[in-house]
Amino acid sequence: MKKAIVLFFLTCLCALPVSLWAQSLQISGRIVSKTTGNPLAGATVRLKGTDQATISDGQGNFTIKAKQGNVLVITYIGADPLEFRVGTDQAPVIGLQEKAGNLEDVVVVGYGTQKKSLVTGAISSVKAADLDNMPVTRADQALEGRVSGVTIASSNGAPGSAPTVNIRGITSINGNTPLYVVDGTIVDVGGLDYLNPADIASIEVLKDAASAAIYGSRGGAGVIIITTKKGREGPAKVSYEGYFGTQSPQRKLDLTNATQYATLRNESSLAAGNGIIFQNPQSLGAGTNWQNTIFSNALVENHDISVSGGTDKALYFTSFGYYDQQGIVAKSVSNYKRFNARINSSFKIKPWATFGENFGYSYIRSQGGLNTNSEFGGPLSSAINLDPTTPEIITDPTVLSQNPYSTEPVIKNGQGQPYAISKYVGQEITNPLAYLQTQQGNYGWSHNMVGNVYLNLEPIKGLKLTTSFNAKQAFYGNESFTPIFFLNSSTTNLTNTSFYRENDQGFIWNWDNTVSYTYNLGEHHFYILGGTSAQANTGSGVNGTYLGLPVTNFQEASMNYSLAPANRIAGGFEAQPYRISSLIARFTYNYAEKYLLTANFRRDGSSHFGPDNLYGPFPSISVGWVPTKEKFLLNNGVFNDLKIRAGYGVNGNDNLPPFLYVSTVSGGRNYPFGEGGGVVVGYSPNAPANPKLKWEQNSQADAGFDATIFTHFNASFDVFEKKTSGMLLQEQIPGYVGASGEPYGNIANMEDKGVELELGYNQRIGQVNLSVKGNISHITNQITNLGIQNKYFVGANFQASGYEISRVADGHPMDAFYGFKTEGIFQTQAQINNYVNKGGQLIQPNAKPGDFKYADLDGDGAITQADRTYIGNPLPDWTFGFNINAAYKNFDVVLFAQGVAGNQIFQGYRRLDITAANYMSTALDRWTGPGTSNNYPRLVDGDPNGNFSNPTSFYLQNGSYLKLKTLQLGYTLPHNLTSHIGFTKIRIYVSGNNLITLTKYNGFDPEIGGSQGIGTGNANQYGVDNGIYPQARSFLVGLNVGF
Amino acid sequence: MKMKHISHLLLYIGATGLLVSCGKSFLNVQPKGLVLESNYYQNQSQAYAALTAAYSPLAWEVGGSDNTYIDKLGALNCGSDECYAGGGGPTDMATWQAFNSYSMTGALGPQAGLWDRNYTGINNANLVIQQVPGVPNMDAATKTEYVAEATFLRAYYYFDLVREFGNIPLITHPLTADEIYTQVQTSPDSVYIQIETDLKAAIAILPPTQLPDSMGRVTKGAANALLGKVILTENNTARMQEAAGYFEAVNSSGLYQLLPNFADIFNPANKFNSESVFEIYHSAAGNAGWGSWPNIQGNVYAQMTGPRSYSGPVFWSGGWSFNPIMPGLAAFMKGDPRYSATILNVDSLSKAGAATYTAGFDNSGYFMLKFAPLSSEVSSTGQPELNFPNDYIEIRLADTYLMEAEALVRGGGDASKAQSYLDQVRARVGLPSVPATLDNIYNERRLELATEGHRWFDLVRTGQAAAVLASKGFKATNAILPIPLVELNNTKLKQNPGYQ
């Protein structure tokens, strides 16, 4: 469909002359594909023999001043040039004969571009046309479901949150974030948060090592290259895109109401031999629905305006964006605002020299102190766990006159009524309404300036020199005020208010210099590129806390108050320096565009490694063959285009803290000495050093093909095998070493295997332009080695359970779920008595009917920790997405759906250590007597059989889903109508997002990201849902205007 | 024109070449605020910082591999017949609850915190012993003294470990990378031999007293007292006289005296008082906030033990009701003059209308006073929960009196001396003499040292644990704790019997 962006790259090179407006009539025509009838955007229409030219818009429309008899020359990427003589028709429809397929596109490959038909690596690309009008908040979200082999999942539905992005599965135990390169700038820190999606011209994903090797050590987890929009020759073009909408929760949890809760609590207490807690559960009614107190509808709006244009000497694109989103959870403290400005311009200072810059600025202000996906409090976790028998507020005067309401600084609402404190559920679980009052005003902010300046020289035809200095400077921080509060007896702040302010900054620069030369000898085409790149990161920050400010809320808090020095506490940090120095080389050759070869090489030096392993080489080679250019397949009637390709390459990863190759000593091992108890700072070595640390290596073999079949279908298929060896990992060394930290080593190996398929279909059927795109990937991940000593690493922990819920283990996928295997529920005492070992002793002597029967996997006649096994996989086997675009006359419809299959989700909503926490309503189907349930055990306080505290498949659910992400209906006002009032385009649309989710998962949302992790205390593991902030369902009304 | 292009090109290539050639120095970056170990241990102040690190785990409230709350006293009180675990619910501080109910497994119990505390201390002490002798520009006497302090600390940590776990690896130097996974458990006997060797070495060097600005550093008296206690614990009747001798070196040194007023011992205003032989220092001077975690020098355990939502005299209002005192101890102490300095019956205060509070889990109404979060001690700076200044007196004179009395009685030593020490302890609180029998001495220990962290060890070493702790579910194998589960991962360690 739209190829405007591709073209605009080329226009920059073509140097179209500036228009000379002739006194003549105006012709408004339309450019369409002769084969499909689809409109062609971005075709150049030039009045022959003049400098006058224009470009067709998204609907293929163009307007140019021309007289009858004039000749228009129409050029379009992927089509032969056409000359059209202007006749009497003032609105001609001009059909262009497209060359089959879309293999003529140009893709960005890192330090250069390549014709897509000549690319031999696995590169997926998303163009602006695919993203236009799509209400995505972040650039990385724009990729979700659109590219095979890329799994993107929201790890958090809070406004502005970054999703989890995995390219071709999990690449490393140790960090898996792809490298983001925006206009040549490496944006390591803070990611893509700052970038306005409306400014994006194209996104390229380098998936295989053959392509990513040009980024060497930085490309191990894949590379995402983003190019922002540039101006193109012609008069100033103004475009506005905006939408306004409302968001609501997709789903709330089905929790027990007060009567049900009281019934279950009584039963659980009685089962433990204690008394009844609630005398009359029926009298309690439904009680409080805590979810309703924090979920609400919320607004979202977005406005982008851009102006672009240029002459043959200078091109510009400038834009302003504003985005404002409230959160659906506790919107008084959950919202996100972003302002963006961008100036991209380039100047042809000599016929052989171009100077330019791309510069983006953003300011982000966000609130989000919600502590989601954590069992340790926060309004979401509280709403799930707080008992429904507690009212929202206390009005009863007798209760008000008692402890704690009369004695403690409880939080009150606007009417002076205290928010109720649960008598049953305590610790970090608090009344969410009261909790939110303690968070008012707290916010985080950032200013980001990202850009580059570059100089391109072409002193001799074919020889190009480029130097580009790229940098990102971020200023960021946050402010928060903690009032005096009493939320419950263990969550209090009773003595001092505190006011915290933090100001940080980070600076990254990279300077790239390349020389390239293109040389053609008959049908032999050579290209060689060499260059250098250097990168450095620095950062620092200061923060201060004022304790005991004489104020009660954030608005009044100020650091202008005078306080005793002991109550003014300062802190700060400096990021350890990090530098990379690299050599880059690329060689490509093709014979008649039929036999293709690309070789990349990069040598990186990283300050993360010691003298022994300072440098790492990263080579790659890939080849291609285009059979459709062979005589025997010319005009074969099936394949319009076919390219078969294969490649192999090596990438690396140096993603680890600095100075681990050498033993360092740190303070903080303190002890007080002397009268007054002044703290003496003790020093001891940090984690044991490993001077042998070296680059983690990712090697990947890839084979595949790209094809256009029967004109209307295209397909892209890849099969790959990715091996990661010597993963940089913290060894979980035994505590008896007594070290203050764990050392890193090149310890483990991992393997990903997968297949990917992208399919497309484009055709005009009658009056309908139809485009369907789909993609599906199957990836398996396996740890293949954990070093000599390590059988496994502990993955995530589960609340107070002593058992981890996942392990990183040889022969299993990353973070595989680990726990006891249940064999149903003991229905009778007889079954318990019959469950005996070889010696005739009971295997579960303490079990009671209604308890889980655990499998004695090690056969030792007792249930011990050795009876645990692998019980599930958090990683999906399949990820898929599809996209349908249809246009009929002035109407257009977009449908976009996406999903995963084959994974499990561990749902840990309920607090294990709070006996009185509320239940999911699935607890109503618990075991209550023989035959009542074989999968939900009895409720009993203290849980002596570990039915709930032992990790088992009880907590696992099928995580497969298919989600209708976007359904959009648009209407474009007729061109002749809009052009009369001076507009080139007016389109209005309505759009719904996250409308339908098909899933068996009973939590908020099966789409959960998270990080892969090892080590205790990592509660945010991939596939673990401890109460993730769910994504909103939204309905939007939008407007696109161009003039 | 062409020439100009070529000169541009040359310039460009030259600049690029320059960048490449300076690559290596470009990559040579220096750490910020981080000292290379090879540049450390170069002067006395660095040696002192290393010694401080060996002391640091003594006062750990937070630590271990995952920086969780791991107070030693709280765990030991839960395991004894003095306190319940308490808290907000039956699984609040699940590690303590498991000790309280003797339902410990390799995965669940207080072991990880105790293990990590002591082994971190041992490693930091080993570093001092290894590094300090080679520190340049430092006088030899100071070096010897630092090493002696570290040697004492290593013995202290090992004594805790061997009593808590029985079967432990004995590590006497900082482990190198290839030694990490080769360690095996050794017999308790060889651990005790090492402890005694270390303490004897320390006794020879340590000063009898520390100057006020070194308050908190160990003395000869602490080493003598600890060695006596070690030998007493080894339970060899033939060596009881030897143990008594080490106690006598403390008791007759003239450096220590019983405080006239029993309650004053635990008053934070009386840190390092004349009765204190070895004291673990807590301080509010660090002004710890939640952001200071895990570097907290205050006593968080005090905060843990206060009543919840409390309004009334003595305690501050924000306690968390852990370690409520078991009714058995309250009954045992009833009528003893030390009761009022040990236990506060908040329940009766509440019934009398003098206080209100929220009952926690396993609430007995009896709250601990020796390490209480007193309203008068609430820190005005930092986070109050993290800044209570209560010290732990690991060894105090009344304890060494009673231990000497015990050693004398068990070893057939000077009975009148035994009687005299028992009498002095009782007389201080106005109690008459009772015969210095073992039973009376053990009773006295229970009364005098209640909730100070000695009871569980005493019950185990005197063989009374099985009888006294039966109601909590104590079995013979519970005399030692399970080895932390993570210590078995990839190592040669074996789990203790009863916890497999």
Side-chain angles (χ1 to χ4, degrees):
Chain A
M1 297 221 350
K2 301 175 187 175
K3 299 193 173 167
I5 302 311
V6 178
L7 192 77
F8 115 96
F9 272 114
L10 291 180
T11 6
C12 299
L13 302 172
C14 293
L16 290 181
V18 73
S19 307
L20 290 168
W21 297 103
Q23 295 296 318
S24 54
L25 292 173
Q26 185 166 290
I27 306 244
S28 295
R30 192 158 183 253
I31 313 278
V32 298
S33 160
K34 220 171 193 175
T35 4
T36 62
N38 289 344
L40 297 179
T44 306
V45 181
R46 183 201 306 257
L47 189 58
K48 193 173 180 181
T50 71
D51 292 338
Q52 195 187 325
T54 185
I55 289 160
S56 63
D57 70 8
Q59 268 64 47
N61 296 315
F62 70 92
T63 303
I64 191 163
K65 289 184 178 173
K67 299 191 287 229
Q68 196 174 334
N70 284 359
V71 174
L72 302 179
V73 181
I74 296 138
T75 49
Y76 183 73
I77 308 290
D80 295 321
L82 179 83
E83 296 203 353
F84 178 84
R85 185 168 294 275
V86 179
T88 48
D89 190 353
Q90 296 292 304
V93 176
I94 304 167
L96 276 191
Q97 183 62 56
E98 276 180 286
K99 289 179 198 161
N102 54 2
L103 298 178
E104 295 301 311
D105 289 352
V106 165
V107 295
V108 182
V109 294
Y111 306 100
T113 58
Q114 207 172 3
K115 267 166 86 179
K116 188 166 187 193
S117 61
L118 302 179
V119 166
T120 45
I123 300 178
S124 290
S125 121
V126 176
K127 302 296 182 186
D130 300 316
L131 307 176
D132 275 353
N133 315 328
M134 278 301 180
V136 292
T137 320
R138 295 172 53 96
D140 32 21
Q141 266 173 8
L143 285 171
E144 186 172 10
R146 293 179 199 281
V147 176
S148 67
V150 179
T151 315
I152 296 182
S154 291
S155 42
N156 188 339
S161 296
T164 303
V165 180
N166 290 336
I167 296 176
R168 289 192 162 173
I170 307 271
T171 304
S172 168
I173 291 180
N174 168 43
N176 203 43
T177 312
L179 175 72
Y180 292 101
V181 182
V182 180
D183 293 327
T185 308
I186 288 170
V187 288
D188 269 351
V189 181
L192 290 178
D193 201 23
Y194 81 95
L195 190 65
N196 183 357
D199 289 344
I200 295 174
S202 71
I203 306 177
E204 261 85 18
V205 184
L206 312 186
K207 298 191 287 192
D208 64 338
S211 311
I214 196 73
Y215 284 102
S217 65
R218 316 305 318 285
V223 182
I224 295 179
I225 303 178
I226 296 177
T227 310
T228 59
K229 290 175 178 169
K230 310 289 188 286
R232 58 177 126 171
E233 255 179 80
K237 195 177 151 217
V238 181
S239 108
Y240 165 83
E241 291 183 23
Y243 60 82
F244 187 84
T246 171
Q247 316 162 82
S248 57
Q250 295 175 69
R251 181 201 270 182
K252 289 177 192 166
L253 299 182
D254 207 357
L255 299 169
T256 58
N257 66 26
T259 299
Q260 294 164 335
Y261 166 81
T263 309
L264 296 180
R265 288 294 308 122
N266 282 345
E267 179 183 314
S268 180
S269 178
L270 281 173
N274 302 323
I276 277 189
I277 301 163
F278 298 95
Q279 288 309 320
N280 185 357
Q282 291 301 328
S283 69
L284 297 168
T288 309
N289 183 331
W290 291 107
Q291 291 185 86
N292 290 346
T293 66
I294 57 160
F295 281 114
S296 63
N297 290 348
L299 298 177
V300 57
E301 64 179 302
N302 183 57
H303 305 280
D304 292 303
I305 188 155
S306 69
V307 183
S308 64
T311 68
D312 60 344
K313 294 283 192 292
L315 300 169
Y316 65 91
F317 172 90
T318 175
S319 72
F320 175 78
Y322 170 68
Y323 178 78
D324 186 353
Q325 186 187 2
Q326 296 176 328
I328 53 164
V329 179
K331 68 181 170 191
S332 68
V333 298
S334 169
N335 53 62
Y336 178 86
K337 277 190 179 69
R338 186 180 63 216
F339 300 85
N340 285 96
R342 169 168 295 280
I343 306 169
N344 292 350
S345 50
S346 65
F347 307 92
K348 213 167 179 81
I349 48 179
K350 295 281 176 192
W352 44 269
T354 306
F355 175 81
E357 107 293 316
N358 302 295
F359 178 77
Y361 163 79
S362 75
Y363 170 66
I364 296 166
R365 188 187 200 282
S366 64
Q367 287 189 280
L370 293 181
N371 195 27
T372 52
N373 201 25
S374 159
E375 72 271 25
F376 296 118
L380 202 56
S381 175
S382 289
I384 296 169
N385 283 288
L386 203 60
D387 63 279
T389 62
T390 300
E392 288 181 29
I393 51 168
I394 297 291
T395 49
D396 182 349
T398 31
V399 179
L400 285 174
S401 66
Q402 290 167 0
N403 184 5
Y405 300 101
S406 62
T407 53
E408 300 287 354
V410 296
I411 304 291
K412 296 174 180 168
N413 66 11
Q415 286 76 51
Q417 297 159 315
Y419 291 109
I421 294 165
S422 173
K423 283 183 275 186
Y424 309 104
V425 179
Q427 293 174 239
E428 296 89 352
I429 304 301
T430 60
N431 186 325
L433 293 166
Y435 174 85
L436 293 177
Q437 290 302 314
T438 67
Q439 302 290 314
Q440 294 298 315
N442 302 349
Y443 76 102
W445 54 269
S446 70
H447 295 276
N448 280 284
M449 282 150 278
V450 185
N452 67 334
V453 288
Y454 58 89
L455 180 67
N456 296 332
L457 306 175
E458 191 171 1
I460 303 163
K461 188 168 168 43
L463 176 70
K464 288 184 181 166
L465 311 174
T466 299
T467 181
S468 174
F469 185 82
N470 315 279
K472 174 175 181 176
Q473 171 77 61
F475 296 97
Y476 58 100
N478 59 77
E479 297 192 5
S480 60
F481 177 79
T482 309
I484 299 287
F485 63 79
F486 181 96
L487 292 175
N488 65 32
S489 60
S490 40
T491 309
T492 59
N493 181 44
L494 297 177
T495 44
N496 281 328
T497 62
S498 74
F499 183 44
Y500 177 81
R501 176 176 293 158
E502 178 175 336
N503 286 348
D504 304 322
Q505 67 90 23
F507 182 61
I508 311 170
W509 62 259
N510 62 294
W511 183 27
D512 301 338
N513 298 286
T514 57
V515 186
S516 69
Y517 187 62
T518 311
Y519 180 68
N520 298 325
L521 184 71
E523 289 287 16
H524 300 276
H525 303 282
F526 299 90
Y527 170 85
I528 185 160
L529 173 140
T532 63
S533 174
Q535 186 195 334
N537 296 11
T538 56
S540 63
V542 291
N543 61 67
T545 307
Y546 272 39
L547 284 171
L549 281 184
V551 299
T552 56
N553 60 53
F554 180 88
Q555 274 66 34
E556 295 167 359
S558 164
M559 293 201 169
N560 286 342
Y561 285 100
S562 295
L563 295 177
N567 280 342
R568 300 195 306 250
I569 299 159
F573 72 92
E574 265 138 340
Q576 295 295 347
Y578 172 40
R579 287 182 177 176
I580 296 177
S581 164
S582 318
L583 298 175
I584 302 157
R586 170 179 287 137
F587 171 73
T588 71
Y589 165 78
N590 75 73
Y591 176 76
E593 303 200 346
K594 197 175 357 178
Y595 307 107
L596 319 169
L597 175 118
T598 303
N600 289 319
F601 177 80
R602 179 160 174 146
R603 188 193 74 158
D604 275 346
S606 165
S607 64
H608 279 175
F609 300 103
D612 299 354
N613 293 300
L614 193 58
Y615 294 104
F618 304 100
S620 80
I621 186 157
S622 54
V623 292
W625 174 44
V626 186
T628 43
K629 297 220 172 192
E630 301 284 0
K631 275 188 188 132
F632 62 90
L633 271 174
L634 278 177
N635 306 316
N636 62 69
V638 179
F639 290 104
N640 310 83
D641 265 307
L642 176 65
K643 179 172 65 179
I644 297 165
R645 53 190 164 70
Y648 175 80
V650 179
N651 273 129
N653 184 356
D654 69 345
N655 186 6
L656 79 171
F659 304 113
L660 296 173
Y661 60 88
V662 60
S663 181
T664 54
V665 172
S666 275
R669 335 309 185 196
N670 304 348
Y671 195 74
F673 285 124
E675 283 173 317
V679 172
V680 178
V681 177
Y683 275 71
S684 74
N686 295 311
N690 180 358
K692 294 180 203 144
L693 271 185
K694 63 177 189 195
W695 304 78
E696 178 174 321
Q697 209 178 60
N698 317 98
S699 63
Q700 191 180 163
D702 180 284
F705 66 82
D706 305 306
T708 309
I709 310 162
F710 299 121
T711 311
H712 301 294
F713 295 91
N714 52 64
S716 196
F717 174 82
D718 277 279
V719 51
F720 66 87
E721 187 178 62
K722 180 156 72 169
K723 288 185 174 168
T724 305
S725 55
M727 279 188 284
L728 297 164
L729 206 56
Q730 242 177 323
E731 245 180 287
Q732 291 172 348
I733 54 171
Y736 58 66
V737 178
S740 300
E742 293 168 336
Y744 276 77
N746 293 89
I747 295 171
N749 298 346
M750 186 187 266
E751 209 170 273
D752 288 279
K753 290 179 188 169
V755 291
E756 299 166 355
L757 179 64
E758 289 182 22
L759 289 172
Y761 169 70
N762 289 287
Q763 193 161 18
R764 184 175 176 88
I765 304 167
Q767 295 258 48
V768 180
N769 287 318
L770 183 65
S771 160
V772 181
K773 288 180 192 168
N775 68 74
I776 186 163
S777 322
H778 177 84
I779 296 171
T780 55
N781 169 274
Q782 198 184 49
I783 311 282
T784 51
N785 180 17
L786 277 180
I788 306 157
Q789 293 118 347
N790 311 298
K791 292 186 280 268
Y792 62 88
F793 290 104
V794 169
N797 280 347
F798 175 42
Q799 301 189 24
S801 174
Y803 298 112
E804 70 270 22
I805 55 172
S806 63
R807 282 186 172 184
V808 177
D810 204 348
H812 294 274
M814 182 77 193
D815 285 328
F817 292 123
Y818 192 75
F820 291 91
K821 192 160 173 264
T822 58
E823 293 180 336
I825 287 173
F826 289 119
Q827 301 294 328
T828 61
Q829 188 62 41
Q831 289 178 358
I832 297 168
N833 296 344
N834 288 336
Y835 191 37
V836 293
N837 59 25
K838 285 176 203 141
Q841 292 138 325
L842 297 192
I843 291 177
Q844 285 179 253
N846 301 320
K848 296 275 187 307
D851 281 340
F852 272 133
K853 177 182 181 184
Y854 297 113
D856 179 22
L857 294 178
D858 69 346
D860 70 346
I863 301 303
T864 65
Q865 39 137 334
D867 293 313
R868 292 174 296 163
T869 186
Y870 295 89
I871 55 176
N873 183 358
L875 307 174
D877 298 328
W878 298 93
T879 56
F880 42 84
F882 64 90
N883 217 323
I884 301 172
N885 282 265
Y888 172 75
K889 293 188 173 168
N890 289 334
F891 291 94
D892 61 272
V893 175
V894 179
L895 181 150
F896 170 48
Q898 165 273 333
V900 303
N903 60 315
Q904 278 89 39
I905 296 175
F906 187 100
Q907 187 186 74
Y909 289 156
R910 190 170 189 272
R911 268 291 280 262
L912 278 180
D913 56 343
I914 300 179
T915 313
N918 199 7
Y919 301 91
M920 293 278 277
S921 61
T922 47
L924 297 171
D925 299 323
R926 76 227 171 266
W927 189 92
T928 50
T932 48
S933 173
N934 204 32
N935 47 47
Y936 202 114
R938 69 183 179 130
L939 298 179
V940 50
D941 284 5
D943 191 21
N945 193 52
N947 294 331
F948 301 101
S949 63
N950 288 339
T952 61
S953 55
F954 175 76
Y955 284 104
L956 297 181
Q957 294 188 34
N958 184 340
S960 306
Y961 70 89
L962 174 64
K963 193 183 261 189
L964 178 56
K965 279 266 168 186
T966 306
L967 180 60
Q968 191 176 96
L969 177 65
Y971 176 73
T972 307
L973 267 62
H975 189 252
N976 51 13
L977 204 72
T978 48
S979 63
H980 274 299
I981 50 171
F983 288 90
T984 52
K985 178 188 184 184
I986 298 178
R987 176 179 177 266
I988 52 173
Y989 66 88
V990 291
S991 179
N993 294 321
N994 295 324
L995 293 174
I996 302 168
T997 304
L998 303 174
T999 183
K1000 289 180 179 163
Y1001 183 61
N1002 73 3
F1004 286 117
D1005 189 340
E1007 185 187 339
I1008 54 175
S1011 55
Q1012 60 288 335
I1014 58 163
T1016 51
N1018 183 351
N1020 192 25
Q1021 187 208 298
Y1022 201 90
V1024 177
D1025 184 4
N1026 289 325
I1028 286 177
Y1029 194 127
Q1031 292 185 70
R1033 171 178 296 151
S1034 58
F1035 295 95
L1036 311 171
V1037 180
L1039 176 68
N1040 310 134
V1041 177
F1043 55 87
Chain B
M1 196 67 184
K2 264 263 144 65
M3 278 307 291
K4 196 170 159 195
H5 289 165
I6 289 164
S7 64
H8 278 135
L9 182 59
L10 290 176
L11 193 70
Y12 187 88
I13 291 168
T16 309
L18 199 68
L19 185 72
V20 177
S21 62
C22 71
K24 200 142 191 169
S25 61
F26 177 72
L27 295 175
N28 185 15
V29 294
Q30 291 305 311
K32 291 187 173 182
L34 203 57
V35 190
L36 299 184
E37 192 182 353
S38 53
N39 297 338
Y40 208 71
Y41 307 110
Q42 295 302 312
N43 54 47
Q44 182 166 339
S45 73
Q46 290 179 344
Y48 186 57
L51 179 63
T52 305
Y55 276 92
S56 180
L58 285 180
W60 268 12
E61 293 289 283
V62 175
S65 56
D66 50 0
N67 282 327
T68 49
Y69 174 74
I70 49 169
D71 182 87
K72 169 195 170 190
L73 183 56
L76 291 171
N77 281 341
C78 292
S80 78
D81 61 339
E82 296 180 317
C83 299
Y84 296 118
T91 42
D92 201 359
M93 281 300 290
T95 56
W96 289 3
Q97 305 287 354
F99 201 179
N100 179 61
S101 60
Y102 284 93
S103 57
M104 289 173 287
T105 65
L108 186 65
Q111 58 271 18
L114 299 170
W115 183 275
D116 289 345
R117 168 188 190 259
N118 293 313
Y119 271 113
T120 305
I122 287 163
N123 185 49
N124 292 354
N126 282 337
L127 279 158
V128 174
I129 294 164
Q130 184 188 64
Q131 297 283 358
V132 167
V135 171
N137 307 318
M138 184 174 166
D139 75 89
T142 314
K143 283 186 193 178
T144 316
E145 192 181 327
Y146 284 7
V147 170
E149 285 180 58
T151 309
F152 169 90
L153 291 169
R154 179 165 76 182
Y156 165 83
Y157 292 125
Y158 268 121
F159 184 45
D160 260 13
L161 276 174
V162 74
R163 287 184 295 166
E164 287 157 357
F165 298 100
N167 308 300
I168 56 169
L170 180 63
I171 297 159
T172 52
H173 62 274
L175 292 181
T176 59
D178 39 355
E179 292 173 321
I180 289 177
Y181 293 97
T182 61
Q183 302 301 311
V184 293
Q185 283 146 305
T186 182
S187 71
D189 289 348
S190 31
V191 178
Y192 276 114
I193 288 168
Q194 180 67 42
I195 294 171
E196 290 192 33
T197 309
D198 279 350
L199 287 174
K200 284 170 187 161
I203 289 167
I205 307 291
L206 287 175
T209 57
Q210 293 283 2
L211 294 170
D213 65 352
S214 291
M215 211 165 85
R217 290 171 62 187
V218 295
T219 58
K220 195 186 292 286
N224 272 315
L226 189 60
L227 182 52
K229 190 171 174 180
V230 167
I231 296 168
L232 188 69
T233 303
E234 287 179 80
N235 248 350
N236 179 354
T237 313
R239 296 186 63 196
M240 286 298 155
Q241 289 281 24
E242 188 187 349
Y246 288 110
F247 292 127
E248 182 64 15
V250 178
N251 296 339
S252 65
S253 67
L255 296 169
Y256 306 98
Q257 290 166 327
L258 296 181
L259 289 191
N261 180 4
F262 181 77
D264 287 349
I265 303 168
F266 309 98
N267 185 338
N270 295 330
K271 285 172 185 283
F272 300 95
N273 57 58
S274 65
E275 186 165 342
S276 170
V277 179
F278 176 39
E279 183 160 341
I280 292 177
Y281 205 160
H282 284 287
S283 169
N287 299 324
W290 291 111
S292 316
W293 198 277
N295 281 322
I296 293 163
Q297 267 68 52
N299 187 333
V300 185
Y301 178 63
Q303 159 63 23
M304 297 287 281
T305 63
R308 286 184 173 236
S309 302
Y310 179 78
S311 172
V314 185
F315 299 120
W316 97 301
S317 55
W320 293 332
S321 71
F322 284 94
N323 282 18
I325 285 176
M326 290 173 68
L329 178 63
F332 178 74
M333 290 196 69
K334 202 159 174 76
D336 189 278
R338 287 162 288 201
Y339 181 104
S340 64
T342 309
I343 300 168
L344 183 64
N345 187 345
V346 177
D347 213 29
S348 68
L349 279 180
S350 168
K351 282 179 182 136
T356 59
Y357 76 113
T358 301
F361 178 66
D362 271 344
N363 180 48
S364 63
Y366 300 110
F367 286 82
M368 192 182 299
L369 273 174
K370 286 180 176 173
F371 311 102
L374 304 181
S375 54
S376 57
E377 299 292 347
V378 172
S379 175
S380 60
T381 57
Q383 194 70 34
E385 288 89 339
L386 309 178
N387 285 302
F388 284 98
N390 311 60
D391 284 357
Y392 295 140
I393 307 181
E394 278 281 302
I395 304 177
R396 59 186 175 91
L397 194 62
D399 187 10
T400 55
Y401 278 5
L402 291 174
M403 286 192 287
E404 182 170 354
E406 178 183 343
L408 289 170
V409 171
R410 290 174 68 183
D414 182 344
S416 65
K417 197 188 259 181
Q419 185 69 52
S420 146
Y421 281 130
L422 178 61
D423 288 348
Q424 287 184 61
V425 171
R426 289 178 61 82
R428 183 250 300 267
V429 294
L431 287 173
S433 173
V434 293
T437 63
L438 261 190
D439 278 350
N440 282 338
I441 292 169
Y442 289 155
N443 271 349
E444 204 59 40
R445 288 187 68 78
R446 193 180 176 196
L447 293 163
E448 174 74 21
L449 302 171
T451 73
E452 292 177 46
H454 303 292
R455 177 71 177 166
W456 187 78
F457 288 130
D458 282 348
L459 288 174
V460 171
R461 83 175 163 84
T462 60
Q464 305 172 70
V468 174
L469 296 173
S471 64
K472 278 196 163 183
F474 182 96
K475 298 172 288 290
T477 49
N478 296 131
I480 46 175
L481 302 176
I483 306 291
L485 196 58
V486 292
E487 296 298 304
L488 310 180
N489 291 351
N490 312 313
T491 69
K492 296 187 169 169
L493 265 52
K494 293 188 177 66
Q495 186 54 279
N496 279 334
Y499 299 108
Q500 278 98 347

